[in-house]
């Protein structure tokens, strides 16, 4: 049964990767079934979305080699793809009455604060200097202690993307028009303020479809806005930290003025106003180059 599943998944990937019929995240989900490194699975398959956006398929070893360049005896025997560098800390959880699946571990903080969860404990490790750890296992003196962070599953960064990209890339200019027109006469419409993204936002399929001989192919959002996206990301990368803070402020300010003048509710505006200083701090802390890479 396992071999049949593997053959089926390989057949699906052979069919859909070149044509970009599904997104990279879906390709990665299918590749997990094959239980081998993603870089090996896609070795002879050109993935348009991964190539266009610079998505990494695996981690490089300290000597600079990837999993695909290693000998068979050194390659992982399980699924793997790119993973970020992480810090590790060890702590003993308190005994609780919550047992079984779904029960959360409870810890005592370094300041004897009771009942903190694992995310709060991790933040205390950075604040007190227990993390980060250098390669020799010792705390990094130059970065020791004083760190402040949030556990929000990347929510602040995604909010920054929405705040800074809505007007220049998504066509929502807060007062002139919520419609975006291009030279092909194709219109991207935000039908509701609750809509999260353009309906035709699929990078790989849009590029592949436009490069075919299909005369009636309608270019997708990314293909139509490609030059503008690249110009915008280049501008973000070259913007100073103060310039990023100013951009966050002016983007939220324009939405506030538009909301007052039009008496139109903006579901996220109140939350963005409360977190304005936090957004500015994160933008300045990341810097333009890192923020541009994250947005891409």
């Amino acid at each position: 049964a396992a071999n049949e599943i593997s053959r089926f998944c390989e057949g699906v990937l052979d069919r859909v990767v070149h044509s970009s019929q599904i997104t990279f995240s879906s390709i990665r989900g299918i590749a997990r079934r094959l239980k081998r490194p993603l870089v090996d699975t896609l070795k002879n398959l050109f993935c348009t979305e991964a190539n266009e956006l610079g998505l990494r398929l695996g981690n490089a070893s300290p000597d600079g080699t990837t999993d695909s360049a290693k000998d068979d005896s050194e390659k992982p025997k399980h699924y793997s793809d790119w993973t970020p560098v992480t810090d590790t800390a060890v702590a003993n959880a308190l005994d609780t009455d919550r047992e079984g699946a779904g029960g959360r571990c409870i810890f005592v903080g370094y300041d004897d604060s009771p009942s903190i969860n694992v995310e709060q404990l991790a933040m205390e490790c950075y604040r007190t200097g227990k993390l980060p750890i250098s390669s020799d296992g010792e705390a990094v003196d130059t970065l020791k202690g004083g760190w402040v962070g949030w556990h929000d599953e990347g929510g602040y960064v995604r909010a920054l993307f929405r705040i800074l990209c809505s007007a220049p890339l998504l066509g929502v200019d807060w007062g002139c028009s919520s419609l975006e027109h291009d030279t092909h006469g194709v219109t991207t419409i935000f039908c509701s303020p609750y809509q999260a993204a353009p309906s035709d936002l699929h990078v790989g399929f849009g590029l592949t479809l436009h490069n075919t001989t299909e005369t009636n192919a309608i270019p997708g959002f990314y293909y139509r806005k490609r030059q503008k996206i690249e110009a915008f990301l280049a501008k973000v990368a070259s913007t100073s930290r103060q310039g990023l803070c100013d951009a966050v402020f002016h983007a939220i300010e324009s939405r506030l003025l538009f909301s007052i003048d039009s008496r139109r509710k903006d579901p996220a505006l109140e939350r963005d106003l409360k977190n304005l200083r936090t957004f500015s701090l994160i933008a300045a802390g990341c810097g333009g180059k890192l923020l541009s890479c994250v947005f891409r």
Side-chain angles (χ1 to χ4, degrees), residues 37-64:
L38 180 63
V39 66
D40 284 347
T41 299
L42 300 182
K43 186 176 182 179
N44 298 317
L45 298 174
F46 182 79
C47 181
T48 303
E49 183 175 350
N51 181 72
E52 178 69 21
L53 300 182
L55 304 178
R56 286 170 282 188
L57 305 181
N59 291 330
S61 302
D63 58 2

Side-chain angles (χ1 to χ4, degrees), residues 87 132-141:
D87 292 315
I133 301 296
S134 64
S135 57
D136 58 3
E138 298 295 331
V140 182
D141 292 335

Side-chain angles (χ1 to χ4, degrees), residues 170 172 178-179 187-199 264:
L170 303 181
V172 182
S178 61
L179 305 182
T187 305
T188 298
I189 302 176
F190 279 77
C191 301
S192 164
Y194 299 95
Q195 186 175 342
S199 300
R264 178 180 176 182

